[in-house]
Structure formats: structure tokens, C-alpha cells
Amino acid sequence: MKVKKIAVLTSGGDSPGMNTALRAVVRTCAYKNIDCVGVSRGYQGLINDDIKTLKTRSVRGIINRGGTMLYSARSDEFRTKEGREKAFSNIKKHGIDGLVVIGGDGSFTGGLIFQKEFGIPVIGIPGTIDNDLYGTSHTLGYDTALNTVMDAIDKIRDTAISHDRLFFVEVMGRDAGHIALNSGIAIGAQEILIPEQNMGIEGLISSLKDSKKNGKTSSIVVVAEGDKTGKNVFDLARQVEEEFPKYEIRVSVLGHMQRGGSPTCFDRVLGTKMGVRAVESLIDGVSGKMIGIDNGKIVSTSLKKAIKGETKIDPELIRVSRIMNI
Ligand code: ATP
């Protein structure tokens, strides 16, 4: 079947680079003489028929903007069969032949179900800062988030050094420690606590004692949201405080600022390449795949594998961080 019209949407948590990928999808469609429509607010926009034509000039000036021009949303209605039926009736009404979903694992799960139920081809672009999808070394927005976290902790470090303080900095990563591990190495953290590896409170205290013995007067501990050493970062700080009554301890939770900001050069190039390949894949009759990157090359993996496959922490990063925190 010849593809004549493609719809694109952004869904789940936003990430820097979503706009870049959207721009690439729209312009590739124009280049290939295919109509392109943008769906606002993720799957909810499909249900509500919030669908508009996007032309080359509709996406001007967004390559460097964080967030998503299409808005993102979480749609509970799309989790129901009735909701998805409404969404598909709008797909039919607009004559849409394929769907590009820019989002994370939840968005891909929804897309896969939708494809199975109604036969509409779906291609995923991994737009999430967490880097938690199998089949791509980098998700879109991850590099920007790493740089944002690094810049923020560099600033915290200045005040930590000036006041001889121990800072616990919580970064995003409920299930994956990629942001914590990479940013932790980049800012010279004393310890990096991630969900994949629990060093235990004793291990942490002993590392901090050693660092004090070795003359450190201030330290940063980077903690991924999903780390299980304490109940949460505040509980962790309290437990450590009991051992170091003379150390001034502070907690900083970076929060949503990690998701915002202008995408880095890496994410802009990545988003552009992914957007182009997503449209080309639909034209070639490919469906149910996620576009990824592996050693600089654009690749594709089945959405099913992308969601279910395990993304592993690089053991070399753990090894070098151990050497650095002497
Ligand atoms: P992030 O990684 O940033 O959290 P995400 O894409 O994983 O992004 P979710 O909130 O998990 O974000 O999913 C986004 C949307 O995808 C949901 O609001 C829902 O509309 C749809 N979705 C997720 N899971 C399903 C499912 N099992 N069935 C149908 N739709 C789903």
C-alpha cells in the first residue's frame, strides 16, 4: 500500500529533542510528497480528534526548543478498548496510513496494542531522558539531560566546597541509573547510588569515612531516584548524618529541570536522523519498530524487544568510578 498520510504525536514524559524529531518527520514527509498531520497531547489528541496538518513552515524555529510543540499527555482513555476505537475512527476519518510515536516504553506499549488491534503501522522514536529502552545506545533527550545535570551539580559543588559540606543530589532514574552514573563520573562524585546496584548504607558510610581520612573536606553523592539504600534521599542523608555529626549535610533534588532546556548538538542530530528514518520506514512498509542508534548508525528494533529488553549499566563506568573515588 502506498503511504499518503502520516500522523505524528509526542506522548508520556517530554524530553529535549522531541521538537527536533517532529521537525524531521514533517520535513521528510514534505520531501517525499506525503501529507503529515500532528496530533496534540499524545493519544488523547487522537481520541479527541485534535489533529492538524503540518507543513514545512509549521515546524520552523523549533529545532533548538525543549519540550514539545505538540504538547504531551498521559491518556487513561487510550488504555481502554473504547478509547482506542475512538482514536482509530479518527485515524480513518483523516485517511492516516501510519503513525510515528515519539515517547517512552509506555507510549510504545500503547502503540503496539493499537497496531495489533487495528492494523495501523506504528514506528517509535525513543523520546525519553531515562535511556531505558533496549535497542538504542542513546534515547532522545538523554544527552541533554546529562549535560543539564552536570551543569547543575557543578554549581552545587561550588557551594559544597566553600562550606565543607556533604551534598546528596537526587537525579532522575526510577529504574535506571544511567543519568546518575554518567553525571556522577562527570562531576567527580564521591559515591553514585543507582537502582541496579545497592552498596548498602554501611558501604556508603565506609566510603565517606575513607574520603575524610584522605583529606576530603566536601563531597557529592549522586543518588538516582530509584536507589534503595535509603527510603528516599532525605532518609539517606539523615542516616549518614547520625554517623557524621560534624559534617554539614545538605540535600538537593534536581527534579523536573532535568527534562527541560535546549537539546544538545548530539540530540539535535540524533532526533533529525531518527525522524527521517521513521518516515522512510513507514514508506518502506515497516511497522512495529523503534528507531535507535548503535555505534553512530541508525538501526531499528521491534517495539516489543525495545520495551521488554534489558538495558544494562556499563560495568566499565562502575569500575572507573570506583578508581576515581579513592
Ligand atoms: P516516560 O518514559 O517519560 O514515562 P512513557 O511513554 O513511558 O514516557 P507512560 O505514561 O508510561 O509514558 O505512557 C504514555 C501513554 O501511553 C499513557 O498515558 C497511555 O495513553 C499510553 N499507554 C501506556 N501503556 C498502555 C497500555 N498498556 N495500553 C494502552 N495505552 C497505553
Side-chain angles (χ1 to χ4, degrees):
M1 185 196 72
K2 193 171 171 338
V3 173
K4 294 199 201 82
K5 193 185 261 189
I6 285 175
V8 54
L9 59 82
T10 50
S11 167
D14 65 319
S15 74
M18 279 184 162
N19 275 327
T20 314
L22 165 68
R23 170 182 178 271
V25 167
V26 172
R27 296 209 168 159
T28 308
C29 284
Y31 183 81
K32 305 267 182 191
N33 287 317
I34 292 171
D35 290 336
C36 185
V37 290
V39 182
S40 293
R41 297 183 172 83
Y43 292 120
Q44 198 56 43
L46 268 187
I47 295 170
N48 297 347
D49 195 13
D50 201 351
I51 298 170
K52 286 185 188 67
T53 299
L54 292 176
K55 295 207 183 283
T56 304
R57 298 277 84 77
S58 321
V59 287
R60 62 153 70 112
I62 65 167
I63 193 167
N64 58 342
R65 275 170 47 195
T68 158
M69 185 192 114
L70 284 179
Y71 301 96
S72 191
R74 297 199 150 93
S75 166
D76 285 336
E77 208 179 341
F78 193 76
R79 291 176 185 272
T80 67
K81 184 83 197 270
E82 298 74 49
R84 293 193 294 275
E85 273 165 359
K86 271 195 223 163
F88 187 66
S89 69
N90 287 322
I91 290 262
K92 270 200 305 197
K93 184 173 121 186
H94 288 271
I96 294 163
D97 305 308
L99 182 61
V100 177
V101 173
I102 309 173
D105 57 344
S107 304
F108 293 167
T109 305
L112 209 49
I113 294 171
F114 197 47
Q115 177 179 282
K116 258 198 206 134
E117 282 174 346
F118 303 101
I120 174 90
V122 173
I123 293 287
I125 293 180
T128 167
I129 65 164
D130 294 332
N131 209 36
D132 57 352
L133 287 159
Y134 179 85
T136 188
S137 61
H138 291 74
T139 55
L140 188 55
Y142 170 58
D143 184 67
T144 305
L146 277 183
N147 282 285
T148 301
V149 169
M150 183 182 74
D151 288 347
I153 306 183
D154 273 347
K155 290 180 176 126
I156 291 171
R157 211 178 141 82
D158 290 345
T159 170
I161 292 170
S162 306
H163 290 274
D164 291 341
R165 277 178 182 154
L166 167 61
F167 260 92
F168 285 85
V169 183
E170 187 194 90
V171 302
M172 281 189 174
R174 245 173 281 145
D175 306 305
H178 301 287
I179 292 180
L181 193 51
N182 282 276
S183 67
I185 290 173
I187 61 92
Q190 176 60 32
E191 277 302 339
I192 305 166
L193 308 184
I194 55 176
E196 293 89 343
Q197 211 182 49
N198 189 346
M199 73 183 305
I201 190 77
E202 302 77 22
L204 174 63
I205 287 167
S206 132
S207 160
L208 292 171
K209 278 189 178 154
D210 287 350
S211 79
K212 269 215 148 237
K213 239 189 266 158
N214 290 340
K216 262 200 182 178
T217 54
S218 68
S219 284
I220 306 269
V221 177
V222 176
V223 186
E225 260 177 310
D227 171 67
K228 304 283 182 306
T229 313
K231 275 189 220 125
N232 54 48
V233 69
F234 294 99
D235 171 61
L236 188 67
R238 193 192 44 73
Q239 290 190 56
V240 170
E241 206 159 25
E242 283 171 11
E243 290 287 327
F244 299 91
K246 291 214 179 93
Y247 224 155
E248 262 199 76
I249 296 183
R250 294 287 184 274
V251 173
S252 184
V253 176
L254 296 189
H256 283 81
M257 57 99 78
Q258 295 165 85
R259 284 224 181 120
S262 179
T264 55
C265 177
F266 181 89
D267 276 331
R268 293 185 203 185
V269 174
L270 181 64
T272 303
K273 282 158 101 175
M274 285 177 162
V276 170
R277 181 61 70 88
V279 173
E280 288 175 345
S281 301
L282 285 171
I283 292 171
D284 291 344
V286 176
S287 63
K289 299 262 180 175
M290 180 195 81
I291 309 299
I293 182 169
D294 179 26
N295 272 325
K297 293 255 173 304
I298 292 295
V299 292
S300 64
T301 309
S302 76
L303 282 173
K304 211 172 176 182
K305 254 201 196 161
I307 300 160
K308 297 264 186 275
E310 208 184 329
T311 59
K312 291 206 177 87
I313 283 291
D314 181 357
E316 180 62 2
L317 290 180
I318 301 207
R319 195 179 79 82
V320 299
S321 76
R322 288 264 154 275
I323 295 173
M324 287 302 108
N325 72 6
I326 184 167

